[in-house]
Coordinates of all heavy atoms in Angstrom, one line a residue:
S22 N 70.0 64.3 13.0 CA 71.0 65.1 13.7 C 70.9 64.9 15.3 O 72.0 64.7 16.1 CB 70.9 66.6 13.4 OG 71.2 66.8 12.1
V33 N 72.6 65.1 26.3 CA 72.5 64.4 27.4 C 71.1 64.5 28.0 O 70.3 65.3 27.6 CB 73.5 64.7 28.5 CG1 74.8 64.3 27.9 CG2 73.4 66.1 28.9
K63 N 59.0 63.4 19.7 CA 58.2 63.2 21.0 C 57.5 61.9 20.9 O 57.3 61.3 22.0 CB 57.2 64.4 21.0 CG 57.7 65.7 21.5 CD 56.7 66.9 21.5 CE 55.8 66.7 22.6 NZ 54.6 67.7 22.6
Y77 N 63.3 69.2 25.8 CA 64.3 68.7 26.5 C 64.6 67.2 26.0 O 63.7 66.6 25.6 CB 64.2 68.7 28.0 CG 64.1 70.1 28.6 CD1 62.8 70.8 28.5 CD2 65.2 70.7 29.1 CE1 62.8 72.1 29.0 CE2 65.1 71.9 29.7 CZ 63.9 72.7 29.6 OH 63.9 73.9 30.1
V93 N 51.2 41.9 15.6 CA 50.8 40.4 15.6 C 49.4 40.3 16.0 O 49.0 41.0 17.0 CB 51.8 39.7 16.5 CG1 51.4 38.2 16.4 CG2 53.3 39.8 16.0
N94 N 48.6 39.5 15.3 CA 47.3 39.3 15.7 C 47.0 38.4 17.0 O 46.0 38.7 17.8 CB 46.5 38.6 14.6 CG 47.0 37.2 14.3 OD1 48.1 37.0 14.0 ND2 46.1 36.2 14.3
Y104 N 58.9 36.1 15.6 CA 59.3 37.5 16.2 C 60.7 37.3 16.7 O 61.6 38.1 16.5 CB 58.4 37.9 17.3 CG 58.9 39.0 18.0 CD1 58.9 40.4 17.5 CD2 59.4 38.9 19.3 CE1 59.3 41.5 18.2 CE2 59.9 40.0 20.1 CZ 59.8 41.3 19.5 OH 60.3 42.3 20.1
A139 N 56.0 57.4 13.8 CA 57.0 57.1 14.9 C 57.9 56.0 14.4 O 59.0 55.8 15.3 CB 56.4 56.8 16.1
I144 N 55.8 46.1 10.4 CA 55.7 44.7 10.1 C 54.2 44.3 10.6 O 53.9 44.4 11.8 CB 56.8 43.8 10.8 CG1 58.1 44.3 10.2 CG2 56.5 42.4 10.5 CD1 59.3 43.6 10.9
T166 N 44.0 51.9 5.2 CA 44.9 52.4 6.1 C 46.3 51.9 5.8 O 47.3 52.7 5.8 CB 44.6 52.0 7.6 OG1 43.4 52.6 8.0 CG2 45.7 52.5 8.6
E168 N 47.5 51.1 2.9 CA 47.8 51.6 1.7 C 48.4 53.0 1.9 O 49.1 53.6 1.0 CB 46.7 51.6 0.7 CG 46.4 50.2 0.1 CD 45.2 50.1 -0.8 OE1 44.4 51.1 -0.7 OE2 45.2 49.1 -1.5
I217 N 39.3 10.5 7.2 CA 40.3 11.6 7.6 C 39.4 12.7 8.2 O 38.4 13.1 7.6 CB 41.0 12.2 6.3 CG1 41.5 11.1 5.5 CG2 42.1 13.2 6.7 CD1 42.5 10.2 6.0
L219 N 39.3 16.6 9.7 CA 39.9 17.8 10.0 C 39.2 18.6 11.2 O 38.0 18.7 11.1 CB 40.0 18.7 8.8 CG 40.5 20.2 9.1 CD1 42.0 20.2 9.4 CD2 40.3 21.0 7.8
R232 N 40.7 29.1 3.7 CA 41.5 28.6 2.7 C 42.2 27.2 3.1 O 42.4 26.3 2.3 CB 42.6 29.6 2.2 CG 42.1 30.7 1.3 CD 43.2 31.7 1.2 NE 43.3 32.5 2.3 CZ 44.4 33.4 2.6 NH1 45.3 33.4 1.8 NH2 44.3 34.2 3.8
I233 N 42.4 27.0 4.4 CA 42.7 25.7 4.9 C 41.7 24.6 4.6 O 42.0 23.5 4.2 CB 42.9 25.7 6.5 CG1 44.1 26.7 6.8 CG2 43.1 24.3 7.0 CD1 44.3 26.9 8.3
L234 N 40.5 25.0 4.8 CA 39.3 24.0 4.5 C 39.3 23.7 3.0 O 39.1 22.5 2.6 CB 37.9 24.7 4.8 CG 37.7 24.9 6.2 CD1 36.3 25.6 6.5 CD2 37.6 23.6 7.0
C241 N 41.3 15.6 -0.3 CA 40.5 14.5 0.0 C 39.6 14.0 -1.3 O 39.5 12.8 -1.6 CB 39.5 14.6 1.1 SG 40.4 14.9 2.7
T321 N 63.9 36.0 7.0 CA 63.7 36.5 5.7 C 63.3 38.1 5.8 O 63.7 38.9 5.1 CB 62.7 35.8 4.8 OG1 63.1 34.5 4.7 CG2 62.6 36.3 3.4
S345 N 53.1 9.4 15.0 CA 51.7 9.5 15.2 C 51.0 9.3 13.9 O 49.8 9.3 13.8 CB 51.3 10.9 15.7 OG 51.6 11.9 14.8

Side-chain angles (χ1 to χ4, degrees):
S22 289
V33 298
K63 284 177 68 178
Y77 296 83
V93 180
N94 63 303
Y104 172 76
I144 300 177
T166 297
E168 287 177 340
I217 318 300
L219 173 65
R232 284 166 283 165
I233 292 172
L234 294 175
C241 292
T321 303
S345 69

